[in-house]
């Protein structure tokens, strides 16, 4: 039996690797805090996650937690490439409305005897959720799975457009120097953030009617209209930027790193094996952990470009040569769809030989466990926000090679604000890769980077412990959600 006024949240992520796992962790701790939680996946993503994720199987067994799925409206055999996320988002918005509405405000009795949904916790880029919730007058708290630095840049896009800073003047953009011009319209980042550091949608837009630019502008403007905003970050990392965000969205909760906070609330505690927590679209190849066990301490470069990045075969070969030329050991996640073209044809004998001696290639790795392994010395990353936070939490310095979206902002902060990594943005070629790897792994600079990374890891750990800033923000969030359930 449920009491009148009991809280029930409907948690809806955008269906993608970078979005589902952090929202799953949030959903899990909401349920541990005593709320009823329904987690909405698309059929397609749920099937894929279920096949390869211990976390999903574990969560399905929790009391007050349940999964529900909706169709995404695309044909079964559609490849659903993330780079075309606008098509998926639009399909959900137009074709899945009825299904979503039925979950938010069911026409019949709840089969589990649960109370009605009292709050929607929705991904900020999922218009389906925000529009239907507004229509049904259910309060929404938004979640953005990017860092505060990128979210603040996104929120300032209208001012950047008004101030004539984007789109970039065409003639200047063509010249390399044009991209080094600093941006004035993002308060707190004036004179620091350059054109090249803005989210890729700003850099790529040729006009204000660019479809991606319009989408991110509107989605982020929409986020201002919620009851609050949840961010996967923490005060010690992004306090100053969070203050700016709070000037626009006063109720903003910084709950990160969520993958650590979820361990604080997990019944098994902070010592639970990391493997029980993983949620992935691809099957993890755990053999790389054995390989790491046989490597010396702090000797391995870990390379992963996340779930979306794509590059040409030549680009991939340049990375490969650079890694081999550095003489370091390396563990590289080469997703089956990472590069275009047949890679095998481009591998020369010496590259293959040296890789066998010092390298390990996998299709998908248990990343959290890899980063926590003592053999790992640094992380060559695309600067996706989850990877960035996971590296921060593990105290591992980064070499950042941003690919798109929020990643150019993140890499600028890693290299030049937090200083626990180097920003390789817009640089290419084997000699650059070799130089960057050496910089982060050898000599005084490497020591400095490791020291700052270690210090931030400690602050991350404290933020999620009892009394820490993320812990307190989470308590406030739960209190606010409970108060909403008494509103009607
Ligand atoms: C989109 O990000 P991505 O999915 O490309 O990248 P991340 O945010 O870094 O998330 C990748 C996750 O996949 C995991 C890894 C991260 O949690 O631990 N993973 C893994 O388990 N095994 C592997 O071999 C490789 C990765 C977007 F492209 C970004 O710009 C955004 O910042 C992000 C969040 O919104 O979503």
């Amino acid at each position: 039996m449920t009491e009148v006024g009991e809280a029930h949240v409907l948690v809806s992520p955008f269906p993608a690797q970078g979005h589902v796992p952090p929202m799953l962790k949030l959903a899990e701790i909401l349920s541990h805090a005593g709320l009823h939680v329904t987690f909405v996946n698309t059929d397609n993503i749920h099937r894929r996650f279920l096949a390869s994720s211990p976390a999903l199987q574990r969560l399905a067994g929790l009391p007050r937690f349940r999964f529900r799925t909706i169709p995404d409206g695309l044909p079964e055999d559609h490849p659903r490439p993330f780079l075309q996320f606008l098509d998926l988002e639009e399909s959900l918005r137009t074709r899945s409305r009825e299904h979503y509405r039925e979950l938010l405000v069911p026409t019949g009795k709840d089969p589990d005897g649960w109370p009605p949904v009292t709050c929607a916790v929705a991904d900020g880029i999922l218009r389906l959720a925000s529009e239907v919730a507004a229509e049904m007058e259910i309060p929404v708290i938004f979640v953005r799975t990017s860092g505060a630095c990128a979210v603040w840049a996104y929120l300032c896009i209208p001012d950047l457009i008004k101030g004539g800073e984007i789109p970039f003047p065409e003639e200047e953009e063509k010249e390399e120097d044009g991209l080094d011009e600093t941006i004035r319209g993002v308060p707190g980042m004036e004179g620091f953030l350059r054109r090249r550091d803005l989210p890729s949608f700003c850099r790529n837009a040729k006009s204000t009617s660019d479809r991606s630019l319009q989408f991110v502008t509107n989605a982020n403007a929409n986020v201002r209209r919620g009851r609050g905003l949840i961010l996967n970050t923490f005060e010690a990392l992004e306090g100053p930027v969070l203050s700016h965000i709070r000037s626009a969205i006063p109720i903003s909760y910084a709950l990160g790193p969520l993958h650590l906070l979820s361990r604080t609330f997990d019944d098994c505690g902070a010592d639970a094996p990391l493997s029980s927590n993983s949620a992935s679209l691809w099957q993890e190849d755990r053999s790389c952990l054995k390989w790491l066990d046989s490597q010396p301490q702090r000797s391995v470069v870990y390379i992963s470009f996340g779930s979306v990045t794509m590059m040409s075969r030549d680009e991939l070969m340049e990375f490969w040569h650079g890694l081999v030329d550095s003489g370091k050991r390396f563990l590289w996640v080469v997703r089956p769809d990472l590069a275009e073209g047949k890679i095998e044809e481009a591998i020369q004998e010496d590259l293959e030989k040296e890789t066998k001696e010092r390298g390990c290639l996998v299709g998908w790795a248990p990343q959290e466990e890899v980063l926590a392994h003592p053999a790992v010395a640094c992380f060559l990353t695309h600067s996706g926000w989850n990877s960035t936070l996971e590296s921060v939490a593990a105290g591992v310095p980064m070499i950042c090679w941003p690919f798109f979206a929020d990643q150019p902002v993140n890499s600028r902060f890693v290299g030049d604000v937090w200083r626990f990594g180097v920003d390789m943005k817009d640089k290419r070629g084997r000699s650059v890769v070799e130089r960057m790897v050496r910089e982060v792994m050898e000599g005084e600079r490497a020591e400095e980077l490791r020291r700052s990374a270690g210090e931030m890891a400690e602050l991350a750990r404290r933020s999620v412990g009892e009394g820490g800033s993320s812990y307190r923000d989470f308590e406030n969030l739960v209190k606010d959600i409970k108060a909403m359930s008494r509103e009607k």
Side-chain angles (χ1 to χ4, degrees), residues 88-103:
L88 175 55
E89 199 277 339
E90 183 60 23
S91 171
L92 279 161
R93 178 174 174 254
T94 50
R95 302 193 196 121
S96 311
R97 253 184 142 72
E98 291 309 315
H99 299 273
Y100 189 77
R101 188 180 294 124
E102 183 58 27
L103 292 181

Side-chain angles (χ1 to χ4, degrees), residues 262-466:
S262 70
R263 294 169 70 73
T264 305
F265 288 91
D266 191 334
D267 291 341
C268 312
D271 300 325
L274 288 173
S275 56
S276 66
N277 230 352
S278 76
S280 278
L281 280 175
W282 290 269
Q283 193 74 45
E284 291 168 350
D285 183 344
R286 301 185 59 80
S287 68
C288 58
L289 294 172
K290 267 222 164 72
W291 181 84
L292 282 175
D293 286 343
S294 63
Q295 307 304 316
Q297 276 215 348
R298 289 191 201 163
S299 66
V300 174
V301 189
Y302 169 60
I303 307 106
S304 158
F305 298 110
S307 67
V308 180
T309 307
M310 289 188 73
M311 56 179 75
S312 66
R313 187 180 75 173
D314 288 350
E315 248 164 346
L316 184 133
M317 292 313 296
E318 286 304 304
F319 273 113
W320 203 333
H321 278 287
L323 288 165
V324 165
D325 293 349
S326 76
K328 307 292 179 201
R329 297 156 200 261
F330 60 95
L331 164 58
W332 189 358
V333 177
V334 184
R335 266 188 6 252
D337 56 344
L338 176 63
E340 295 149 358
K342 276 211 162 31
I343 301 164
E344 297 78 20
E345 286 167 10
I347 306 173
Q348 299 142 3
E349 220 174 283
D350 54 337
L351 194 66
E352 200 171 1
K353 185 171 156 280
E354 300 207 38
T355 301
K356 268 207 187 104
E357 279 166 13
R358 289 196 304 276
C360 174
L361 268 52
V362 292
W364 192 255
Q367 183 162 301
E368 266 187 72
E369 287 174 85
V370 166
L371 286 168
H373 198 288
V376 171
C378 75
F379 183 12
L380 170 48
T381 169
H382 69 310
S383 296
W385 187 245
N386 296 291
S387 293
T388 304
L389 271 188
E390 287 159 17
S391 206
V392 165
V396 174
M398 285 166 258
I399 303 169
C400 305
W401 190 74
F403 172 66
F404 96 133
D406 55 342
Q407 300 155 17
V409 192
N410 304 340
S411 66
R412 179 73 165 149
F413 271 72
V414 168
D416 298 276
V417 177
W418 305 317
R419 295 173 187 274
F420 37 63
V422 292
D423 189 358
M424 191 184 146
K425 156 179 317 123
D426 295 332
K427 299 199 179 83
R428 300 193 179 324
R430 61 188 74 181
S431 60
V432 179
V433 176
E434 180 186 346
R435 182 162 50 79
M436 294 277 173
V437 168
R438 287 186 191 282
E439 192 176 334
V440 178
M441 288 189 61
E442 294 172 357
E444 243 173 69
R445 176 95 168 110
E447 281 307 313
E448 257 171 54
L449 294 171
R450 181 155 281 275
R451 202 173 28 251
S452 348
E455 284 165 9
M456 193 52 85
E458 176 55 25
L459 294 174
R461 212 182 46 76
R462 281 195 217 156
S463 74
V464 300
E466 212 170 326

Side-chain angles (χ1 to χ4, degrees), residues 118-143:
T118 50
C119 171
V121 171
D123 197 315
I125 66 165
L126 194 69
R127 282 178 303 170
L128 167 74
S130 56
E131 288 178 5
V132 176
E135 211 174 282
M136 307 310 283
E137 296 180 6
I138 304 280
V140 188
I141 297 179
F142 287 106
V143 181

Side-chain angles (χ1 to χ4, degrees), residues 237-255:
L237 184 70
E238 299 201 277
V241 191
L242 281 165
S243 306
H244 283 287
I245 292 183
R246 288 189 177 116
S247 68
I249 306 172
I251 304 181
S252 293
Y253 312 89
L255 306 184

Side-chain angles (χ1 to χ4, degrees), residues 48-73:
R48 288 187 62 192
F49 268 110
L50 208 53
S52 44
S53 307
L56 256 71
Q57 290 143 22
R58 189 171 53 79
L59 289 178
L62 288 181
R64 293 187 302 270
F65 185 99
R66 66 187 184 190
F67 286 107
R68 288 289 182 268
T69 62
I70 55 173
D72 63 17

